[in-house]
């Protein structure tokens, strides 16, 4: 079993840390590091909508260039699409000699869209959870697990620095695992495409549409195929597949064993291998970068089309009845 690390020397973060971006991960890293006693400056575009929000928490906010200047470590917590341009225009020209560059996902480094000079440490601390959870668990005294990786160790202390940062954002409380930029990026992309986002979305949609096309009420189809998914996944999260199967009825369990493999059959497994091959060859990255360079035209069109579906309109009405205010 892989070694789970818990400790790091926070004292290594004794200079300024520039957190670039104040979105999902940015706000969480900035606030958690600050609360861990690290000197943090948030770097934002002039006129950024997040500027006032970050300042209201007591954080120092500066332009990206000013935050990077003199920083010991620069955390690139912007959307992956915009990082290469921001790095070239505002980060690289202001990077202090020997400053470390940190990423929360390996995409730009693995696919060589950002290649810091060999004199800089290039490290990764990738929390295995959304930024808002990284912040919430920290304030509750818990942490979110994180992966750390070293791409360039110019200082000889890159690994210790990554561990210190991971501990600073609270990951040591939950567990820190060592990986590489390649492994993190490829597994992250595969997970979100085949299982977590792509696979699950299409599974839900196909189940919903099968019931609706057969004449069943869309509301009932929604409860069955989407609403209950969370309850089932919560059980898996708590105690694994066996724990989930312990809680469901024997009828559900019998159907699970006898029918699940008809849905996720050999064909699906072959497709998963193809999806992984596209990630490993760089074909997926090229396709996504091509869309980035085209103003994300495909992404925007697919997003707009998906928002029109009956699953979404039915779900919106049902959720307004079920969810407490503030749940979403
Ligand atoms: P995000 O979309 O939430 O970040 C948006 C922030 O980036 C904005 O608040 C703004 O401050 C800044 N920004 C946006 N466009 C900009 C531009 N053109 N120029 C300058 N600043 C700009 O990003 P995120 O989801 O937190 O992702 C940040 C990094 O963390 C990515 O590398 C991502 O892969 C990684 N990551 C994210 C999550 C997650 O939970 N979202 C989880 C693990 C890793
Ligand atoms: Mg992920």
């Amino acid at each position: 079993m892989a070694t789970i690390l818990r400790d790091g020397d926070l004292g290594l973060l004794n200079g300024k840390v520039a957190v670039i971006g104040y979105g999902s991960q940015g706000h969480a890293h900035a606030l958690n590091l600050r609360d861990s006693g690290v000197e943090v400056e948030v770097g934002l575009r002039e006129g950024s909508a997040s500027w006032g929000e970050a300042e209201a928490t007591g954080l120092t906010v500066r332009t990206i260039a000013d935050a990077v200047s003199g920083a010991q470590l620069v955390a690139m917590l912007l959307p992956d699409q915009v990082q290469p341009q921001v790095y070239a225009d505002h980060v690289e020209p202001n990077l202090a000699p020997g400053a470390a560059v940190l990423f929360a996902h390996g995409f730009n480094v693995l696919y060589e869209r950002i290649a810091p000079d060999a004199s800089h440490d290039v490290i990764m601390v990738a929390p295995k959870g959304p930024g808002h959870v990284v912040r919430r668990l920290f304030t509750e005294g818990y942490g979110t697990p994180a992966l750390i990786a070293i791409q360039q160790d110019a200082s000889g202390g890159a690994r210790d620095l990554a561990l210190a940062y991971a501990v600073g954002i609270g990951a040591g409380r939950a567990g820190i695992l060592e990986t590489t930029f390649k492994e993190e990026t490829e597994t992250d992309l595969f997970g979100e495409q085949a299982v977590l986002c792509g696979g699950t979305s299409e599974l839900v949609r196909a189940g919903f549409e099968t019931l609706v096309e057969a004449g069943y009420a869309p509301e009932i189809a929604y409860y069955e195929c989407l609403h209950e998914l969370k309850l089932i996944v919560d059980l898996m999260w708590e105690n694994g597949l066996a724990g989930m199967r312990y809680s469901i009825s024997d009828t559900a369990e019998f159907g699970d064993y006898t029918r699940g493999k008809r849905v996720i059959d050999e064909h699906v497994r072959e497709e998963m291998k193809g999806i992984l091959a596209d990630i490993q060859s760089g074909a997926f990255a090229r396709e996504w970068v091509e869309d980035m360079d085209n103003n994300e035209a495909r992404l925007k069109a697919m997003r707009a089309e998906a928002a029109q579906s009956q699953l979404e309109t039915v779900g919106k009405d049902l959720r307004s009845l079920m969810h407490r205010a503030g749940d979403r």
Side-chain angles (χ1 to χ4, degrees), residues 11 114 119 151 177 215 261 303:
I114 300 179
S119 62
Q151 180 78 9
L177 208 61
K261 290 182 181 66
R303 185 182 283 156

Side-chain angles (χ1 to χ4, degrees), residues 105 127-129 184 187-189 191-192 196:
H105 176 43
K128 289 287 100 181
E184 185 276 339
T187 54
D188 194 68
L189 292 174
E192 65 204 17
L196 307 173

